[in-house]
Amino acid sequence: IAQIAAAAGVAVGTVYLYFHNKREIYTQASIDWTNRLAVALQDPRILSLPVRQVPRAMIETVFRLCHQNSKMMSLFQVDIQSPEELQQHRDADGAITGAVDSFLRSTIENGQLASFDTVMYAKVLFGMVHSALFECFCVQEGRYEEAIRESTIEIVERLFFGPPLASVQRAPSVQD
């Protein structure tokens, strides 16, 4: 905490006015990070793109922000240890899924996509992209960033715009 106070240019006691311990600092950093991503996903420059370009723009934005903060990414993966922390994380995650849900609902309202459960899709997309970011920046330490980003984009684009996997010619498997 002394190092944090020094970096912030404040007294150690000032840090303790806001946080009781390092865990609270990590938790708040994680929540602030999630909220920052949610704000980035609501950028009008992204949302004004043609619908087929939005998934790529959203995922590229999230990956770019994570890349810029790659040294901190493991800190944003905080284990939830209390009901209060759980609610804080639910609220922060809800900001991201809310942004995605809002975009999805607008595409349906504009006739660009057929109707579907936008809330569940937003939650599944959030979980998938969150897992890809964890794999990319925490497990692989950014080594395969481009491949992981492009695979994530491909999955999301295929999910919404096709071609559906069922219509793709299946390659023979080991069992064939």
Side-chain angles (χ1 to χ4, degrees):
I1 296 213
Q3 290 175 329
I4 292 169
V10 300
V12 171
T14 303
V15 175
Y16 280 108
L17 288 173
Y18 296 95
F19 305 100
H20 293 97
N21 53 46
K22 288 188 288 188
R23 172 134 190 98
E24 285 186 11
I25 294 171
Y26 289 137
T27 298
Q28 191 58 52
S30 176
I31 290 165
D32 289 348
W33 176 247
T34 302
N35 287 329
R36 183 175 171 202
L37 294 176
V39 168
L41 293 176
Q42 297 172 44
D43 185 336
R45 292 173 294 184
I46 293 174
L47 299 176
S48 65
L49 292 170
V51 70
R52 287 186 173 270
Q53 294 176 15
V54 172
R56 173 174 287 280
M58 285 182 159
I59 293 168
E60 285 177 343
T61 296
V62 169
F63 269 81
R64 184 181 66 254
L65 289 171
C66 291
H67 178 85
Q68 291 168 353
N69 293 282
S70 61
K71 292 188 183 339
M72 300 291 290
M73 289 304 296
S74 63
L75 297 178
F76 299 136
Q77 303 298 322
V78 176
D79 290 328
I80 298 170
Q81 296 185 354
S82 72
E84 294 81 19
E85 288 179 6
L86 178 60
Q87 189 58 51
Q88 289 174 322
H89 282 278
R90 279 185 184 147
D91 292 344
D93 293 352
I96 290 180
T97 58
V100 174
D101 175 56
S102 178
F103 164 71
L104 295 173
R105 282 186 287 113
S106 72
T107 61
I108 291 169
E109 290 166 6
N110 293 331
Q112 297 166 308
L113 291 174
S115 184
F116 57 91
D117 183 348
T118 59
V119 172
M120 185 52 71
Y121 268 65
K123 288 178 181 183
V124 169
L125 289 169
F126 171 73
M128 180 184 67
V129 173
H130 186 272
S131 293
L133 293 169
F134 180 79
E135 176 69 22
C136 181
F137 294 104
C138 297
V139 176
Q140 299 298 333
E141 299 175 330
R143 287 187 294 264
Y144 306 105
E145 180 179 345
E146 183 178 351
I148 294 170
R149 183 188 64 240
E150 289 303 315
S151 292
T152 304
I153 290 168
E154 178 187 351
I155 291 166
V156 172
E157 287 178 341
R158 179 170 277 188
L159 177 68
F160 286 102
F161 310 121
L165 292 175
S167 68
V168 175
Q169 182 69 19
R170 186 175 68 83
S173 70
V174 176
Q175 297 172 348
D176 289 341

Short mmCIF file of all heavy atoms in Angstrom, two decimals, residues 108-146:
data_model
loop_
_atom_site.label_atom_id
_atom_site.label_comp_id
_atom_site.label_asym_id
_atom_site.label_seq_id
_atom_site.Cartn_x
_atom_site.Cartn_y
_atom_site.Cartn_z
N ILE A 108 -32.06 -5.86 -34.01
CA ILE A 108 -33.35 -6.52 -34.23
C ILE A 108 -34.41 -5.48 -34.58
O ILE A 108 -35.18 -5.65 -35.53
CB ILE A 108 -33.75 -7.35 -33.00
CG1 ILE A 108 -32.81 -8.54 -32.84
CG2 ILE A 108 -35.21 -7.82 -33.10
CD1 ILE A 108 -32.94 -9.27 -31.52
N GLU A 109 -34.45 -4.39 -33.82
CA GLU A 109 -35.43 -3.33 -34.07
C GLU A 109 -35.28 -2.71 -35.46
O GLU A 109 -36.26 -2.32 -36.08
CB GLU A 109 -35.31 -2.24 -33.00
CG GLU A 109 -35.77 -2.69 -31.63
CD GLU A 109 -35.36 -1.75 -30.51
OE1 GLU A 109 -34.79 -0.66 -30.79
OE2 GLU A 109 -35.59 -2.11 -29.33
N ASN A 110 -34.03 -2.68 -35.95
CA ASN A 110 -33.77 -2.12 -37.28
C ASN A 110 -33.93 -3.16 -38.38
O ASN A 110 -33.66 -2.88 -39.55
CB ASN A 110 -32.37 -1.52 -37.33
CG ASN A 110 -32.24 -0.30 -36.46
OD1 ASN A 110 -33.21 0.41 -36.22
ND2 ASN A 110 -31.04 -0.06 -35.95
N GLY A 111 -34.32 -4.38 -38.03
CA GLY A 111 -34.53 -5.43 -39.02
C GLY A 111 -33.26 -6.02 -39.58
O GLY A 111 -33.29 -6.70 -40.60
N GLN A 112 -32.13 -5.81 -38.91
CA GLN A 112 -30.86 -6.32 -39.41
C GLN A 112 -30.57 -7.74 -38.96
O GLN A 112 -29.76 -8.44 -39.56
CB GLN A 112 -29.72 -5.38 -38.97
CG GLN A 112 -29.88 -3.98 -39.56
CD GLN A 112 -28.98 -2.99 -38.86
OE1 GLN A 112 -28.98 -2.88 -37.64
NE2 GLN A 112 -28.22 -2.26 -39.66
N LEU A 113 -31.20 -8.17 -37.88
CA LEU A 113 -31.09 -9.54 -37.39
C LEU A 113 -32.48 -10.01 -36.99
O LEU A 113 -33.32 -9.21 -36.58
CB LEU A 113 -30.16 -9.63 -36.18
CG LEU A 113 -28.66 -9.38 -36.41
CD1 LEU A 113 -27.92 -9.38 -35.07
CD2 LEU A 113 -28.06 -10.41 -37.34
N ALA A 114 -32.70 -11.31 -37.09
CA ALA A 114 -33.96 -11.90 -36.64
C ALA A 114 -34.00 -11.86 -35.11
O ALA A 114 -32.97 -11.79 -34.45
CB ALA A 114 -34.07 -13.33 -37.14
N SER A 115 -35.17 -11.93 -34.56
CA SER A 115 -35.35 -11.87 -33.11
C SER A 115 -34.72 -13.07 -32.41
O SER A 115 -34.76 -14.20 -32.91
CB SER A 115 -36.84 -11.81 -32.80
OG SER A 115 -37.03 -11.67 -31.41
N PHE A 116 -34.12 -12.83 -31.26
CA PHE A 116 -33.53 -13.87 -30.42
C PHE A 116 -33.40 -13.32 -29.01
O PHE A 116 -33.65 -12.14 -28.77
CB PHE A 116 -32.18 -14.35 -30.97
CG PHE A 116 -31.16 -13.25 -31.13
CD1 PHE A 116 -30.28 -12.94 -30.11
CD2 PHE A 116 -31.08 -12.55 -32.33
CE1 PHE A 116 -29.34 -11.93 -30.27
CE2 PHE A 116 -30.14 -11.53 -32.49
CZ PHE A 116 -29.27 -11.23 -31.45
N ASP A 117 -33.00 -14.17 -28.08
CA ASP A 117 -32.84 -13.77 -26.68
C ASP A 117 -31.54 -12.97 -26.54
O ASP A 117 -30.47 -13.53 -26.31
CB ASP A 117 -32.82 -15.02 -25.79
CG ASP A 117 -32.73 -14.70 -24.31
OD1 ASP A 117 -32.47 -13.54 -23.93
OD2 ASP A 117 -32.93 -15.64 -23.51
N THR A 118 -31.64 -11.66 -26.66
CA THR A 118 -30.45 -10.81 -26.66
C THR A 118 -29.72 -10.82 -25.34
O THR A 118 -28.49 -10.71 -25.31
CB THR A 118 -30.82 -9.37 -27.05
OG1 THR A 118 -31.78 -8.86 -26.11
CG2 THR A 118 -31.38 -9.30 -28.47
N VAL A 119 -30.45 -10.95 -24.24
CA VAL A 119 -29.80 -10.96 -22.93
C VAL A 119 -28.90 -12.19 -22.80
O VAL A 119 -27.74 -12.10 -22.39
CB VAL A 119 -30.84 -10.91 -21.79
CG1 VAL A 119 -30.19 -11.12 -20.43
CG2 VAL A 119 -31.60 -9.59 -21.82
N MET A 120 -29.43 -13.35 -23.16
CA MET A 120 -28.62 -14.58 -23.05
C MET A 120 -27.44 -14.53 -24.03
O MET A 120 -26.32 -14.92 -23.67
CB MET A 120 -29.48 -15.82 -23.32
CG MET A 120 -28.71 -17.11 -23.10
SD MET A 120 -27.87 -17.24 -21.51
CE MET A 120 -29.25 -17.44 -20.42
N TYR A 121 -27.66 -14.06 -25.25
CA TYR A 121 -26.55 -13.95 -26.19
C TYR A 121 -25.48 -13.02 -25.64
O TYR A 121 -24.29 -13.31 -25.74
CB TYR A 121 -27.04 -13.42 -27.54
CG TYR A 121 -27.42 -14.49 -28.54
CD1 TYR A 121 -28.49 -15.35 -28.32
CD2 TYR A 121 -26.71 -14.64 -29.72
CE1 TYR A 121 -28.85 -16.32 -29.24
CE2 TYR A 121 -27.05 -15.61 -30.67
CZ TYR A 121 -28.12 -16.44 -30.40
OH TYR A 121 -28.45 -17.40 -31.32
N ALA A 122 -25.89 -11.90 -25.06
CA ALA A 122 -24.93 -10.95 -24.50
C ALA A 122 -24.11 -11.61 -23.39
O ALA A 122 -22.89 -11.43 -23.31
CB ALA A 122 -25.64 -9.71 -23.98
N LYS A 123 -24.76 -12.39 -22.55
CA LYS A 123 -24.05 -13.08 -21.46
C LYS A 123 -23.09 -14.13 -22.01
O LYS A 123 -21.95 -14.26 -21.54
CB LYS A 123 -25.04 -13.72 -20.50
CG LYS A 123 -25.79 -12.70 -19.66
CD LYS A 123 -26.80 -13.36 -18.76
CE LYS A 123 -27.53 -12.30 -17.93
NZ LYS A 123 -28.47 -12.90 -16.98
N VAL A 124 -23.53 -14.89 -23.00
CA VAL A 124 -22.66 -15.91 -23.60
C VAL A 124 -21.48 -15.25 -24.31
O VAL A 124 -20.33 -15.69 -24.18
CB VAL A 124 -23.47 -16.82 -24.56
CG1 VAL A 124 -22.56 -17.69 -25.40
CG2 VAL A 124 -24.47 -17.66 -23.77
N LEU A 125 -21.74 -14.19 -25.06
CA LEU A 125 -20.66 -13.48 -25.74
C LEU A 125 -19.66 -12.92 -24.75
O LEU A 125 -18.44 -13.01 -24.94
CB LEU A 125 -21.22 -12.36 -26.62
CG LEU A 125 -21.97 -12.82 -27.86
CD1 LEU A 125 -22.70 -11.66 -28.50
CD2 LEU A 125 -21.03 -13.49 -28.84
N PHE A 126 -20.16 -12.32 -23.66
CA PHE A 126 -19.28 -11.79 -22.62
C PHE A 126 -18.40 -12.90 -22.05
O PHE A 126 -17.19 -12.75 -21.93
CB PHE A 126 -20.09 -11.12 -21.51
CG PHE A 126 -19.25 -10.74 -20.33
CD1 PHE A 126 -18.37 -9.68 -20.39
CD2 PHE A 126 -19.33 -11.47 -19.15
CE1 PHE A 126 -17.58 -9.33 -19.31
CE2 PHE A 126 -18.55 -11.12 -18.05
CZ PHE A 126 -17.66 -10.05 -18.13
N GLY A 127 -19.02 -14.04 -21.73
CA GLY A 127 -18.24 -15.15 -21.17
C GLY A 127 -17.19 -15.65 -22.13
O GLY A 127 -16.04 -15.92 -21.74
N MET A 128 -17.54 -15.74 -23.40
CA MET A 128 -16.61 -16.24 -24.40
C MET A 128 -15.44 -15.26 -24.58
O MET A 128 -14.28 -15.68 -24.57
CB MET A 128 -17.32 -16.44 -25.74
CG MET A 128 -16.39 -16.97 -26.82
SD MET A 128 -17.19 -17.11 -28.42
CE MET A 128 -17.49 -15.40 -28.79
N VAL A 129 -15.75 -13.99 -24.74
CA VAL A 129 -14.69 -13.01 -24.95
C VAL A 129 -13.83 -12.87 -23.68
O VAL A 129 -12.61 -12.77 -23.76
CB VAL A 129 -15.26 -11.65 -25.42
CG1 VAL A 129 -14.18 -10.59 -25.49
CG2 VAL A 129 -15.94 -11.81 -26.78
N HIS A 130 -14.47 -12.91 -22.53
CA HIS A 130 -13.73 -12.85 -21.27
C HIS A 130 -12.75 -14.02 -21.19
O HIS A 130 -11.58 -13.83 -20.81
CB HIS A 130 -14.72 -12.89 -20.09
CG HIS A 130 -14.08 -12.70 -18.76
ND1 HIS A 130 -13.58 -13.75 -18.03
CD2 HIS A 130 -13.85 -11.59 -18.04
CE1 HIS A 130 -13.08 -13.29 -16.91
NE2 HIS A 130 -13.24 -11.98 -16.88
N SER A 131 -13.18 -15.20 -21.56
CA SER A 131 -12.30 -16.38 -21.55
C SER A 131 -11.17 -16.22 -22.55
O SER A 131 -10.02 -16.59 -22.27
CB SER A 131 -13.10 -17.65 -21.87
OG SER A 131 -13.99 -17.92 -20.83
N ALA A 132 -11.47 -15.68 -23.72
CA ALA A 132 -10.43 -15.46 -24.73
C ALA A 132 -9.40 -14.45 -24.23
O ALA A 132 -8.19 -14.62 -24.43
CB ALA A 132 -11.05 -14.99 -26.04
N LEU A 133 -9.86 -13.38 -23.58
CA LEU A 133 -8.94 -12.38 -23.03
C LEU A 133 -8.07 -12.98 -21.94
O LEU A 133 -6.87 -12.72 -21.87
CB LEU A 133 -9.72 -11.18 -22.49
CG LEU A 133 -10.44 -10.33 -23.54
CD1 LEU A 133 -11.38 -9.35 -22.86
CD2 LEU A 133 -9.45 -9.63 -24.45
N PHE A 134 -8.68 -13.80 -21.07
CA PHE A 134 -7.91 -14.45 -20.02
C PHE A 134 -6.84 -15.36 -20.62
O PHE A 134 -5.68 -15.32 -20.22
CB PHE A 134 -8.84 -15.25 -19.09
CG PHE A 134 -8.12 -15.94 -17.98
CD1 PHE A 134 -7.71 -15.24 -16.85
CD2 PHE A 134 -7.82 -17.28 -18.07
CE1 PHE A 134 -7.03 -15.87 -15.83
CE2 PHE A 134 -7.13 -17.93 -17.04
CZ PHE A 134 -6.74 -17.22 -15.92
N GLU A 135 -7.25 -16.17 -21.59
CA GLU A 135 -6.29 -17.06 -22.26
C GLU A 135 -5.17 -16.24 -22.91
O GLU A 135 -3.99 -16.57 -22.77
CB GLU A 135 -7.00 -17.92 -23.31
CG GLU A 135 -6.09 -18.80 -24.12
CD GLU A 135 -5.46 -19.94 -23.33
OE1 GLU A 135 -6.00 -20.32 -22.27
OE2 GLU A 135 -4.41 -20.45 -23.78
N CYS A 136 -5.54 -15.19 -23.60
CA CYS A 136 -4.58 -14.40 -24.35
C CYS A 136 -3.59 -13.68 -23.44
O CYS A 136 -2.38 -13.80 -23.61
CB CYS A 136 -5.32 -13.38 -25.22
SG CYS A 136 -4.22 -12.37 -26.22
N PHE A 137 -4.12 -12.92 -22.48
CA PHE A 137 -3.25 -12.02 -21.72
C PHE A 137 -2.76 -12.56 -20.38
O PHE A 137 -1.74 -12.11 -19.88
CB PHE A 137 -3.96 -10.67 -21.52
CG PHE A 137 -4.15 -9.96 -22.81
CD1 PHE A 137 -5.40 -9.92 -23.42
CD2 PHE A 137 -3.09 -9.34 -23.45
CE1 PHE A 137 -5.58 -9.27 -24.63
CE2 PHE A 137 -3.25 -8.70 -24.66
CZ PHE A 137 -4.50 -8.66 -25.26
N CYS A 138 -3.46 -13.53 -19.81
CA CYS A 138 -3.02 -14.09 -18.52
C CYS A 138 -2.28 -15.41 -18.71
O CYS A 138 -1.19 -15.59 -18.18
CB CYS A 138 -4.22 -14.27 -17.59
SG CYS A 138 -5.01 -12.70 -17.17
N VAL A 139 -2.87 -16.32 -19.48
CA VAL A 139 -2.25 -17.63 -19.67
C VAL A 139 -1.09 -17.54 -20.67
O VAL A 139 0.02 -17.97 -20.39
CB VAL A 139 -3.29 -18.69 -20.12
CG1 VAL A 139 -2.62 -20.02 -20.40
CG2 VAL A 139 -4.38 -18.83 -19.06
N GLN A 140 -1.36 -16.98 -21.85
CA GLN A 140 -0.35 -16.92 -22.92
C GLN A 140 0.50 -15.66 -22.89
O GLN A 140 1.39 -15.49 -23.71
CB GLN A 140 -1.03 -17.05 -24.28
CG GLN A 140 -1.79 -18.34 -24.48
CD GLN A 140 -0.90 -19.56 -24.40
OE1 GLN A 140 0.29 -19.51 -24.68
NE2 GLN A 140 -1.49 -20.68 -23.99
N GLU A 141 0.20 -14.75 -21.96
CA GLU A 141 0.96 -13.50 -21.79
C GLU A 141 1.07 -12.72 -23.09
O GLU A 141 2.11 -12.13 -23.38
CB GLU A 141 2.32 -13.79 -21.17
CG GLU A 141 2.21 -14.43 -19.80
CD GLU A 141 3.54 -14.84 -19.21
OE1 GLU A 141 4.47 -15.20 -19.99
OE2 GLU A 141 3.63 -14.83 -17.98
N GLY A 142 0.02 -12.75 -23.90
CA GLY A 142 -0.04 -11.96 -25.13
C GLY A 142 0.69 -12.56 -26.32
O GLY A 142 0.70 -11.96 -27.40
N ARG A 143 1.25 -13.74 -26.15
CA ARG A 143 2.06 -14.32 -27.23
C ARG A 143 1.26 -14.62 -28.49
O ARG A 143 1.79 -14.53 -29.59
CB ARG A 143 2.76 -15.59 -26.76
CG ARG A 143 3.92 -15.33 -25.81
CD ARG A 143 4.67 -16.60 -25.52
NE ARG A 143 3.85 -17.54 -24.78
CZ ARG A 143 3.87 -17.68 -23.45
NH1 ARG A 143 4.68 -16.94 -22.73
NH2 ARG A 143 3.10 -18.57 -22.87
N TYR A 144 0.01 -15.00 -28.36
CA TYR A 144 -0.80 -15.38 -29.52
C TYR A 144 -1.98 -14.43 -29.68
O TYR A 144 -3.06 -14.83 -30.11
CB TYR A 144 -1.28 -16.83 -29.37
CG TYR A 144 -0.15 -17.78 -29.13
CD1 TYR A 144 0.07 -18.31 -27.86
CD2 TYR A 144 0.72 -18.11 -30.15
CE1 TYR A 144 1.13 -19.17 -27.63
CE2 TYR A 144 1.79 -18.97 -29.93
CZ TYR A 144 1.99 -19.50 -28.67
OH TYR A 144 3.04 -20.34 -28.44
N GLU A 145 -1.75 -13.19 -29.35
CA GLU A 145 -2.84 -12.20 -29.34
C GLU A 145 -3.60 -12.13 -30.66
O GLU A 145 -4.82 -12.20 -30.69
CB GLU A 145 -2.30 -10.82 -28.98
CG GLU A 145 -3.35 -9.75 -28.93
CD GLU A 145 -2.80 -8.40 -28.55
OE1 GLU A 145 -1.67 -8.30 -28.05
OE2 GLU A 145 -3.54 -7.41 -28.77
N GLU A 146 -2.89 -11.99 -31.76
CA GLU A 146 -3.56 -11.86 -33.05
C GLU A 146 -4.40 -13.09 -33.37
O GLU A 146 -5.55 -12.98 -33.80
CB GLU A 146 -2.56 -11.60 -34.17
CG GLU A 146 -3.23 -11.38 -35.51
CD GLU A 146 -2.25 -11.08 -36.63
OE1 GLU A 146 -1.06 -10.86 -36.38
OE2 GLU A 146 -2.72 -11.06 -37.79
#
